[in-house]
Amino acid sequence: MTAPVIHIRVYWANAGAFSGAYDDVTAFSDGDLGPVMTRGRSADNSAEATGAASFTLDNFDDRFTPDRNWCDNPSFEAGTAGWSIAAIASLTAVATSITQVTDNAPGAGSKAGEAVLTATVNSGVTFPIPYPFRSGVTYAVSVYLKSTAGTLTVRAGLASSGTPADIASSGADITTSWAVYTFAWTPSADRADAVFFVRTTTAATATVRIDAVQVNPGGTANPYLEAPTKGQLVPGRPVHIYATHGGTDYPQFYGYIERLAPDPADRMVTITCYDVLRRLGEVDATLPTTALTSRTALDCRTELLTDFERGDHNLLQNPSFETDLSGWTLVAGGGDTLTRVTTDAAPEAGGTCCAEMVTATALSYLQGAAKVVPVFFVGQTYRASVYLRATTGTPAVTVGLGRSHTTYLATRTFTISTTWTRYTVTWTVDTETTAGVGGLLLFVEFPAGTGTLRVDGGAVTRGQALLPYSGTGSGRWPNYCGAGSFDGGGLNGWYGGWTNLCGNGNFETDVAGWSVAADSFHAAATSITRSTAQYHRGAASALLTTYGVTGCHYAVTGTFLAGVTYRLRFYFEQVTTPRALEFGIGSNGTPADYAYGTDTGNTSWEAKYVDWTPSANRSDVHAYLSTGIVAATHQTYIDEVTIYERSSEWVTGEDPPYVDAGPGGMTTGTTAKATSTTAKYGSRSHSFDTRAVAGSGRIYDFLHLGSYFVAGRAYTASCWIRSSDASAPIKIGLAATAGTTWDEATATGSANNSGWTQFTVTWTPAADFPISGATSAMRRVFTVCQTDATARTLYIDGVRVIPGSSADDWTMTHWDLDTASEASDLVSDSAAFTGSALSNLSSINALTLTRHYIRPAMTAPWYAYVTSDRDGLASKTSVETFDDDLAGMSSAEIDRASIVNILPVVYSPNPPTTEYYSDAASVARYGPSPGSALAGSAFYSTRATPDIVGPALVARYKDPRARPVMTVVNRFPSQLQRELDDLVTVNFARLRIQSGKYLILRITTLLTDGGTIWTTAYALEEYS
């Protein structure tokens, strides 16, 4: 039988696309020494089992030796990253451009760089070599150059950018044919600022092509190879291994390089790798407390994986100034300027632009806003970094991270040079008082004196590690909506829709709609007029003049519904002596159906309200206010009159602000509202019955999560909607207000009863709406309502709000989560999880008896994170049988290693030393109770409070049951198809197993004999 062909790919550039010319290292793999690949899964009956792989590569030409070439972009195959046209004082003058062209020196790929030099002596391009060069040590350089026209006096060289006199360069002119130019440099002192350069030595324009740059220690340049360079041969590079058999590709492993171990004697290098499951164990992920009343395993996993997927996401809005200076502000005195420079850039930041701040006053500072959801949890670490260089001198510069210039959270002061260098500072959230408040800003400040500073490649990342610089766009945004899945049964933050039923409550133009004529609630007053002498908001109020106890009213248009609670709210201030007042709302035709309140009066602005629930539908509603004293004139200012349907879900302080109308076309709330088992994700959605009114719907208030919306930044909301009827016209919106009108965006579409429809809306606020403004005067909301007057049931699920102009889905495509079962497992009541992503996920496993593992894939992102719940095993069928006499079965054995078993234990309010479950349902699911005398048991509490349903303690003990390990050789294609958690049948008389059903717990594959022998061992676990 023909053996599969193995393929080993290493993405040396660290981005995971596997598209480079030498990413496939299969040709260098030693088939007699691997690869060896292991993948495992966790489960209720096993400890964590992370995956690993190792393989050996022939290194006969030193292509996998880090010191072979120190130039990390030597042949422009992937672009011009790192190359600069900016001038370096006393070394190069500015060049016109450096671009990638299709041309190549012998043996140097298919691309080259083309530098256009000006008619200035020393006009040139540079590339930094960011490694330490030692005094007295010789370093060899070679480079291929050619002119596009004629012979040019162009030289290549290597020098210290800070001490340009420490230099070496080539000595011959270049021609129109590719030729190699070599020289050697012996630094006069230790140098950490070496740059390779190509420059003209005469005052004439020149166009020169550059390729195959080689820099290495020693007196002779190594032969140039298209191969990984020193900066690429480092741990952390993605590795993808797959096999091809019968025209089909089968993924076998995905992970990252852990170690490269060269063997100089045998000219080989051994590479060991680890998988994503272990990477999850190296990245902190916080699952914070939440406004939800309860949270399911699915909710928790989604949040943890979202946190993990953010990875090295750079949170700065505009880190490298390639387009403009947006997101950055220079705060200073007179004469200070901030400009964009298009001929200079930090090499590691890529691009061609930077910002230049020229300060004429001390303590001038530059600030860049980070794109964070400003909810900071104790223990989280944020790191700020930025590339800086001075145009002259060595000034002191402070780099800081804070919420404002006066509230720095962390600062460091550095003495900087004229060479681009990265500077960094970290902040760890230390107390609850700092959590949940404010945004994050990166600051660059001259603490004393003045100067000119260039800035590039800013970054704010989460986590302790100083990561390689990356622009925005990687990673996954956290959800600004804290209650978007509904699986835990909570609806906190969701309210009924509303609008201001008072059409003129702020009197900014006139007093239209208001009357002092007598009605069923008050006698006729003298007058009501618009006044600018006093006002609570805006620039005007209404002045009510009464004689005796008289008043005014506003006749509200529309129908007030029986059984629905409405609130009249307003501000008043009396001109002179306080007088008693009465205020109320009710039916003018049936005045017994009303509600009222009283007050002793006030000569300063005071808010008052009264709630009314009509006993029947009313279309003759008056809101009124009466005040005064018998036989005397009295005056009262009135402002901010709001009449609205009040949701029972609002809590104190969360009533809507004064606005002219509701957000997103809202007019009214809904009737029944609940969570429903009709769901797009998980087990539940949010269902509500609309009224037969256009604008009936629901609102989510971001006050519950404290999301910060920044002016000029796009935000996109998405949700899935289903209707009880065939066509429901829907409007969704994102909106915020700090005044009387909404800054909002809306989008419309149609939902139906045959499936779920995704709705999206993108909003760019005109002003900042910060968390610090989360008061009754400010709201940030997401809205969903119908646009016709039809009573129906609507279902919403998967609500997600993120920065940017495009939506993503509730879960990522490579999260293969067991949504059916996990969504029903309640894990916590607003509890917080801290630690690594893996430890948190493992805790959820222990509570819900869920297993997880990493399944490699053939397309980006090259893997899936898979979960399955033990309750879902009944649907499995056996996919393969292992028989004692089957050809290709080399051996079988019993694995008697100590296996960790995890059992849930009922929590008692006053727990004894041990208390095991004993109810029939638990015994049926988990097996018999081990009994209280089990030696070596350990218990720990997973909850701070005992008032929950479900497991609260977990017992761990060694499981003595033996498990088989089946080994097969060259059994294709099943050997390539088998996956963790597959169900198999075992008939093995020597092990006394007949028709045994097992799940695959671990897969280990070894290739030998040049890849012709494939040996796979399957560690199995009982299927029960």
Side-chain angles (χ1 to χ4, degrees):
M1 181 180 293
T2 303
V5 176
I6 195 72
H7 303 270
I8 304 173
R9 302 190 296 181
V10 180
Y11 192 68
W12 300 110
N14 204 35
F18 299 104
S19 57
Y22 44 85
D23 289 347
D24 194 318
V25 299
T26 306
F28 302 93
S29 174
D30 188 328
D32 292 328
L33 297 173
V36 180
M37 300 164 288
T38 298
R39 295 193 295 118
R41 66 156 172 82
S42 64
D44 52 308
N45 288 327
S46 69
E48 291 295 348
T50 58
S54 65
F55 49 91
T56 302
L57 301 177
D58 289 329
N59 197 29
F60 58 90
D61 56 4
D62 289 319
R63 68 176 51 239
F64 303 114
T65 301
D67 276 348
R68 184 191 56 77
N69 190 356
W70 287 22
C71 181
D72 289 325
N73 186 6
S75 66
F76 301 88
E77 298 303 307
T80 61
W83 289 85
S84 174
I85 61 174
I88 296 178
S90 302
L91 184 63
T92 61
V94 66
T96 301
S97 64
I98 177 74
T99 58
Q100 181 197 61
V101 295
T102 301
D103 191 5
N104 62 278
S110 61
K111 304 295 182 182
E114 182 173 277
V116 179
L117 312 180
T118 70
T120 302
V121 174
N122 290 336
S123 172
V125 296
T126 60
F127 187 88
I129 311 296
Y131 307 111
F133 288 74
R134 300 305 180 193
S135 175
V137 175
T138 299
Y139 298 86
V141 182
S142 69
V143 60
Y144 278 83
L145 302 173
K146 82 170 185 178
S147 165
T148 59
T151 299
L152 302 174
T153 53
V154 168
R155 301 291 184 264
L158 195 61
S160 163
S161 62
T163 311
D166 194 352
I167 187 174
S169 62
S170 59
D173 295 345
I174 68 172
T175 68
T176 56
S177 298
W178 285 110
V180 64
Y181 299 84
T182 62
F183 57 92
W185 180 46
T186 304
S188 60
D190 287 351
R191 304 295 183 193
D193 58 356
V195 292
F196 173 82
F197 64 86
V198 176
R199 67 184 184 184
T200 179
T201 59
T202 59
T205 60
T207 300
V208 58
R209 291 188 173 176
I210 309 164
D211 205 1
V213 182
Q214 174 69 43
V215 179
N216 58 262
T220 304
N222 294 326
Y224 180 78
L225 295 174
E226 281 293 333
T229 61
K230 182 179 179 67
Q232 297 170 334
L233 288 161
V234 295
R237 304 305 187 192
V239 174
H240 186 240
I241 303 175
Y242 68 99
T244 301
H245 184 261
T248 301
D249 294 331
Y250 299 92
Q252 300 296 298
F253 179 85
Y254 178 78
Y256 311 93
I257 292 180
E258 179 178 20
R259 185 180 302 108
L260 297 97
D263 181 350
D266 292 333
R267 307 300 294 273
M268 307 187 86
V269 58
T270 299
I271 297 179
T272 56
C273 313
Y274 61 97
D275 74 343
V276 180
L277 205 59
R278 202 179 103 185
R279 171 69 67 88
L280 283 163
E282 297 173 348
V283 176
D284 286 342
T286 301
L287 188 65
T289 54
T290 175
L292 290 172
T293 56
S294 57
R295 198 156 39 183
T296 66
L298 178 60
D299 291 328
C300 293
R301 288 191 190 279
T302 300
E303 291 183 56
L304 287 167
L305 290 168
T306 292
D307 217 15
F308 169 74
E309 293 287 353
R310 294 181 70 188
D312 60 353
H313 198 165
N314 184 356
L315 301 172
L316 279 185
Q317 295 183 63
N318 179 18
S320 62
F321 312 99
E322 291 305 306
T323 304
D324 51 37
L325 297 170
S326 63
W328 294 83
T329 306
L330 181 61
V331 183
D336 295 355
T337 61
L338 177 67
T339 58
R340 180 168 161 264
V341 177
T342 61
T343 57
D344 192 11
E348 291 83 355
T352 59
C353 303
C354 68
E356 181 176 273
M357 55 183 290
V358 179
T359 62
T361 55
L363 298 177
S364 298
Y365 62 91
L366 178 69
Q367 65 182 37
K371 302 182 300 183
V372 297
V373 179
V375 181
F376 303 129
F377 305 103
V378 172
Q380 283 187 334
T381 297
Y382 288 82
R383 180 179 286 275
S385 63
V386 64
Y387 288 91
L388 303 173
R389 82 173 185 91
T391 55
T392 59
T394 55
V397 174
T398 296
V399 176
L401 189 62
R403 296 194 194 94
S404 71
H405 183 249
T406 58
T407 55
Y408 276 141
L409 299 168
T411 62
R412 290 180 68 187
T413 299
F414 305 92
T415 300
I416 69 170
S417 69
T418 56
T419 301
W420 283 110
T421 306
R422 196 179 193 189
Y423 302 93
T424 184
V425 63
T426 62
W427 168 57
T428 300
V429 184
D430 52 1
T431 66
E432 288 295 342
T433 57
T434 61
V437 181
L440 276 182
L441 297 169
L442 168 64
F443 294 93
V444 178
E445 175 184 325
F446 279 104
T450 61
T452 300
L453 182 67
R454 290 191 173 176
V455 182
D456 200 8
V460 175
T461 54
R462 211 201 56 226
Q464 184 65 38
L466 178 60
L467 301 163
Y469 171 79
S470 67
T472 56
S474 62
R476 176 173 166 85
W477 280 106
N479 192 357
Y480 280 37
C481 178
S485 73
F486 313 106
D487 290 320
L491 294 176
N492 282 29
W494 288 91
Y495 309 135
W498 50 269
T499 190
N500 189 355
L501 299 172
C502 179
N504 183 17
N506 62 0
F507 311 103
E508 293 301 300
T509 304
D510 51 37
V511 294
W514 289 85
S515 174
V516 294
D519 70 354
S520 298
F521 303 109
H522 67 85
T526 304
S527 65
I528 183 168
T529 59
R530 177 177 178 269
S531 172
T532 58
Q534 292 290 335
Y535 46 84
H536 188 262
R537 179 187 290 274
S541 65
L543 178 62
L544 171 65
T545 302
T546 59
Y547 185 84
V549 183
T550 59
C552 65
H553 67 267
Y554 181 86
V556 187
T557 301
T559 301
F560 284 62
L561 302 174
V564 176
T565 299
Y566 298 87
R567 173 167 288 187
L568 163 67
R569 191 180 70 206
F570 65 95
Y571 283 83
F572 80 96
E573 177 184 271
Q574 294 173 330
V575 176
T576 55
T577 306
R579 298 298 183 192
L581 77 156
E582 179 179 305
F583 50 92
I585 182 171
S587 168
N588 189 50
T590 310
D593 191 359
Y594 84 119
Y596 74 98
T598 61
D599 192 83
T600 57
N602 204 327
T603 55
S604 59
W605 286 108
E606 181 181 356
K608 303 302 293 184
Y609 71 86
V610 62
D611 291 340
W612 173 52
T613 305
S615 60
N617 289 353
R618 304 295 184 187
S619 299
D620 58 351
V621 174
H622 284 196
Y624 73 92
L625 183 148
S626 64
T627 186
I629 186 171
V630 176
T633 297
H634 189 69
Q635 291 187 307
T636 302
Y637 292 106
I638 309 169
D639 204 0
E640 287 191 53
V641 181
T642 311
I643 303 168
Y644 55 92
E645 178 184 336
R646 190 171 194 281
S647 172
S648 61
E649 296 155 294
W650 283 326
V651 297
T652 302
E654 290 188 347
D655 281 40
Y658 175 83
V659 288
D660 294 332
M666 286 286 181
T667 61
T668 184
T670 61
T671 55
K673 64 267 184 185
T675 59
S676 168
T677 56
T678 299
K680 169 65 177 177
Y681 297 103
S683 62
R684 306 194 74 82
S685 66
H686 177 18
S687 65
F688 51 91
D689 295 340
T690 65
R691 299 192 177 114
V693 178
S696 175
R698 299 283 283 169
I699 293 176
Y700 176 78
D701 192 332
F702 292 100
L703 174 62
H704 278 255
L705 191 62
S707 302
Y708 193 129
F709 294 100
V710 179
R713 168 72 178 164
Y715 299 87
T716 297
S718 62
C719 71
W720 294 84
I721 302 178
R722 185 171 181 145
S723 175
S724 60
D725 58 3
S727 180
I730 301 296
K731 179 186 286 187
I732 69 168
L734 272 176
T737 184
T740 61
T741 60
W742 292 96
D743 181 348
E744 67 180 349
T746 60
T748 58
S750 179
N752 57 65
N753 57 5
S754 62
W756 289 87
T757 303
Q758 187 177 32
F759 290 74
T760 64
V761 61
T762 298
W763 169 57
T764 303
D768 285 352
F769 293 98
I771 186 175
S772 56
T775 67
S776 61
M778 177 179 288
R779 279 294 185 272
R780 300 160 306 284
V781 297
F782 170 71
T783 61
V784 179
C785 69
Q786 64 184 24
T787 58
D788 68 349
T790 302
R792 58 170 59 89
T793 300
L794 292 177
Y795 306 86
I796 58 176
D797 203 0
V799 182
R800 188 160 162 76
V801 181
I802 59 174
S805 56
S806 60
D808 60 9
D809 216 337
W810 180 256
T811 58
M812 299 187 77
T813 56
H814 60 292
W815 297 351
D816 190 359
L817 307 181
D818 189 347
T819 58
S821 58
E822 289 191 6
S824 61
D825 286 328
L826 291 180
V827 170
S828 68
D829 292 340
S830 301
F833 286 69
T834 59
S836 71
L838 182 61
S839 66
N840 287 331
L841 292 167
S842 299
S843 296
I844 297 170
N845 279 351
L847 291 169
T848 61
L849 293 186
T850 305
R851 70 277 315 278
H852 64 193
Y853 60 92
I854 298 300
R855 182 178 62 218
M858 284 305 302
T859 56
W862 312 107
Y863 74 93
Y865 173 85
V866 183
T867 67
S868 60
D869 187 271
R870 188 174 182 182
D871 283 347
L873 295 180
S875 61
K876 283 187 173 290
T877 58
S878 180
V879 296
E880 188 167 359
T881 299
F882 296 117
D883 290 319
D884 197 352
D885 58 352
L886 185 66
M889 176 70 69
S890 63
S891 65
E893 61 180 327
I894 291 294
D895 178 7
R896 296 188 180 275
S898 297
I899 305 297
V900 174
N901 195 21
I902 303 169
L903 292 175
V905 182
V906 176
Y907 194 106
S908 169
N910 297 293
T913 304
T914 58
E915 181 177 331
Y916 292 100
Y917 61 84
S918 58
D919 61 286
S922 293
V923 171
R925 182 177 182 184
Y926 308 124
S929 168
S932 60
L934 185 66
S937 295
F939 304 91
Y940 65 92
S941 174
T942 61
R943 286 303 193 85
T945 59
D947 56 344
I948 61 168
V949 177
L953 294 180
V954 174
R956 299 176 181 270
Y957 68 94
K958 293 181 178 180
D959 184 353
R961 291 177 293 180
R963 295 186 170 89
V965 176
M966 315 306 293
T967 303
V968 298
V969 177
N970 285 13
R971 190 175 184 182
F972 308 123
S974 72
Q975 226 170 312
L976 308 174
Q977 296 169 334
R978 286 292 66 80
E979 188 50 78
L980 297 168
D981 232 14
D982 278 354
L983 179 64
V984 298
T985 302
V986 175
N987 296 312
F988 224 85
R990 287 174 289 172
L991 299 181
R992 298 183 180 179
I993 298 173
Q994 183 63 37
S995 299
K997 295 296 190 292
Y998 295 88
L999 297 168
I1000 296 179
L1001 177 66
R1002 187 174 61 252
I1003 303 173
T1004 301
T1005 299
L1006 168 66
L1007 274 66
T1008 55
D1009 290 358
T1012 62
I1013 303 299
W1014 287 59
T1015 304
T1016 299
Y1018 301 102
L1020 306 179
E1021 178 185 62
E1022 287 86 349
Y1023 172 67
S1024 58

